[in-house]
């Protein structure tokens, strides 16, 4: 923000938002890869593993390349007509969108490698790739700023980095499957494609919930307002690393233990994972809620402390409730009930869109935060209760006692102490 300016950082947000749409075109292949690779015995079913990997690669790269071509061609019209970018930054916005077209295409291909390693249970290699991508993106951007370059140079670094990360990921996947003998029956691709298509609307809805709010803000207000809103949003997105990591390990575990006789084991796993995850996350949300004015003012300056505090607090409150849906979502996908997660995601997306359309024109970024918080939190709470009763046969009293009681009580005490100190 200090190096690019508030408007320049708004274009940087636009880069990431535009690129994030393209991997969603993979037709749900990521979840399908994790599920079906986890179910195959990699030693005895090497032929099936290779077939699933090839199908996943085509699904990740083909549709994303087509979407990237459309984004490249329509970038001038999108920037000027749809996004209402100011004339002074219009040329930069077009170049940023075109870099997003290239980078987003290879980001989708990179996610094929990530999902493949996750399905093969090579979490060490998966983490190595993801951490390397994040570190190289940040350090590359800061280096370019230090050398006097702007957001356009950072955008093309984003594109080049995703090409490199995909190549590295593809090499690791090929090395991982190289020792597997070409044995066993061929892959049954029809269930693979059907599962992916069934799960596909879910990630699409997540993009709507996590990115379209920024488009509402940009269309109604200016690049400055987009930055004031997106910075606290980005802080909260960093906190999703923990539940996403839990889900990445939990999904193949649930897929491998999905037999009817494992019902009580799944209940115990569910309660323990939920309790531990909330015990780690809720105190962090409490501290962010209490000290958001100090954090934003000391970190970014008075304007953020004045304009972004209550939007950020609403987002924190909504995210603290919505995060409870991570574990039941993973359970449903692992049990082959991906439709449950898809319905939740689209209910959240639809409610958020409705609230943004009503609130953003009137209340600006505060309305965007209120719409995002309510749209995510309210369906998530209902969903948690529904999944427990329908799939796990878990009573509400047991869930409250064994899953929520400890993290809720400790977080409530911490909130009271933090607000007194604040």
């Amino acid at each position: 923000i200090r190096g690019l300016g508030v408007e320049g950082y708004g274009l940087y947000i636009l880069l990431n938002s535009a690129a994030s749409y393209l991997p969603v075109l993979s037709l749900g292949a990521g979840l399908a890869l994790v599920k079906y690779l986890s179910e195959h015995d990699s030693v005895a079913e090497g032929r099936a593993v290779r077939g699933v990997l090839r199908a996943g690669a085509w699904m990740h790269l083909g549709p994303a390349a087509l979407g990237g071509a459309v984004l490249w061609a329509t970038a001038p019209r999108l920037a000027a007509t749809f996004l209402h970018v100011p004339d002074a930054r219009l040329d930069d916005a077009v170049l940023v969108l075109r870099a997003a077209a290239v980078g987003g295409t290879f980001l989708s291909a990179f996610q094929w490698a990530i999902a493949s390693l996750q399905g093969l249970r090579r979490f060490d290699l998966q983490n190595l790739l993801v951490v390397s991508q994040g570190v190289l993106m940040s350090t590359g951007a800061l280096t370019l700023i230090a050398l006097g370059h702007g957001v356009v140079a950072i955008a093309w670094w984003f594109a080049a980095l995703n090409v490199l990360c995909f190549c590295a990921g593809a090499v690791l996947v090929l090395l991982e499957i190289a020792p597997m003998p070409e044995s066993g029956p061929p892959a049954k691709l029809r269930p693979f494609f059907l599962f992916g298509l069934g799960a596909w609307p879910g990630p699409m809805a997540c993009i709507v919930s996590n990115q379209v709010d920024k488009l509402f803000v940009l269309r109604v207000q200016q690049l400055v307002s987009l930055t004031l809103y997106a910075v606290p949003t980005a802080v909260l997105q960093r906190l999703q690393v923990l539940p996403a990591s839990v889900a990445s390990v939990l999904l193949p575990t649930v897929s491998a233990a999905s037999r009817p006789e494992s019902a009580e084991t799944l209940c115990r796993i569910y309660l323990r994972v939920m309790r531990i995850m909330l015990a780690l996350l809720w105190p962090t949300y409490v501290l962010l809620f209490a000290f958001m004015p100090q954090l934003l003012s000391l970190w970014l300056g008075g304007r953020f402390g004045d304009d972004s505090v209550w939007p950020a607090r609403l987002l924190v409150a909504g995210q603290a409730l919505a995060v409870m849906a991570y574990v039941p979502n993973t359970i449903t996908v692992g049990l082959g009930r991906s439709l449950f997660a898809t319905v939740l995601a689209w209910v959240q997306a639809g409610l958020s869109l409705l609230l943004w359309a009503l609130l953003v024109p009137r209340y600006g970024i505060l309305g965007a935060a209120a719409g995002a918080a309510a749209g995510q939190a309210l369906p998530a709470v209902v969903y948690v209760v529904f999944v427990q009763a329908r799939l796990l046969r878990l009573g509400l009293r047991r869930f409250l006692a064994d899953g929520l009681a400890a993290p809720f009580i400790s977080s409530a005490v911490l909130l009271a102490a933090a607000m007194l100190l604040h």
Side-chain angles (χ1 to χ4, degrees), residues 369-391:
Q376 296 296 301
L378 296 179
V381 173
V382 175
Y383 179 76
V384 169
V385 177
F386 172 78
V387 169
Q388 291 168 181
R390 180 69 180 272
L391 285 184

Side-chain angles (χ1 to χ4, degrees), residues 87-322:
D87 291 342
R89 304 306 299 260
L90 193 57
D91 291 340
D92 287 349
V94 172
L95 292 173
V96 164
L97 287 172
R98 285 180 167 167
V102 177
T105 299
F106 283 94
L107 176 62
S108 181
F110 175 62
Q111 289 186 356
W112 163 80
I114 295 299
S116 299
L117 292 170
Q118 185 178 339
L120 296 169
R121 303 191 189 189
R122 287 306 306 267
F123 302 113
D124 52 344
L125 298 179
Q126 174 201 357
N127 286 328
L128 174 65
L129 286 173
V130 173
V131 171
S132 298
Q133 183 198 41
V135 170
L136 289 173
M137 184 63 218
S138 299
T139 55
L142 293 173
T143 301
L144 288 169
I145 290 172
L147 294 174
H149 297 286
V151 68
V152 173
I154 293 175
W156 287 107
W157 165 240
F158 170 83
L161 177 62
N162 279 298
V163 174
L164 293 173
C165 287
F166 161 64
C167 293
V171 169
L172 289 177
V173 171
L174 293 175
L175 290 175
E176 186 65 21
I177 66 172
M180 299 180 190
E182 187 73 34
S183 59
K188 296 180 180 179
L189 295 183
R190 179 180 172 82
F192 174 83
F193 287 122
L194 290 177
F195 180 87
L197 289 172
W200 178 45
M204 287 183 63
C206 291
I207 289 293
V208 172
S209 298
N210 294 325
Q211 300 296 343
V212 174
D213 52 349
K214 301 177 182 65
L215 298 182
F216 271 94
V217 171
L218 184 55
R219 280 181 58 82
V220 173
Q221 299 192 306
Q222 298 176 340
L223 281 171
V224 173
S225 296
L226 177 61
T227 299
L228 292 172
Y229 174 73
V231 166
T233 303
V235 172
L236 288 176
Q237 287 176 344
R238 301 300 183 272
L239 294 181
Q240 294 180 15
V241 170
L242 175 62
S245 301
V246 170
S248 69
V249 179
L250 187 59
L251 178 55
T253 302
V254 172
S255 297
S258 56
R259 298 178 299 276
E261 61 269 20
S262 303
E264 178 58 27
T265 300
L266 285 177
C267 285
R268 290 199 301 270
I269 292 173
Y270 173 81
L271 290 170
R272 176 173 291 185
V273 173
M274 178 75 81
R275 184 172 63 249
I276 292 172
M277 187 179 72
L278 294 181
L280 292 171
L281 279 175
W282 275 359
T284 307
Y285 288 128
V286 164
L287 294 176
L288 277 176
F289 185 92
F291 297 110
M292 190 62 74
Q294 290 82 359
L295 172 67
L296 292 177
S297 298
L298 294 174
W299 180 31
L300 295 169
R303 184 163 187 181
F304 283 88
D306 292 337
D307 297 340
S308 298
V309 168
W310 276 106
R313 280 178 163 171
L314 287 176
L315 291 170
V316 167
Q319 191 62 243
L321 293 174

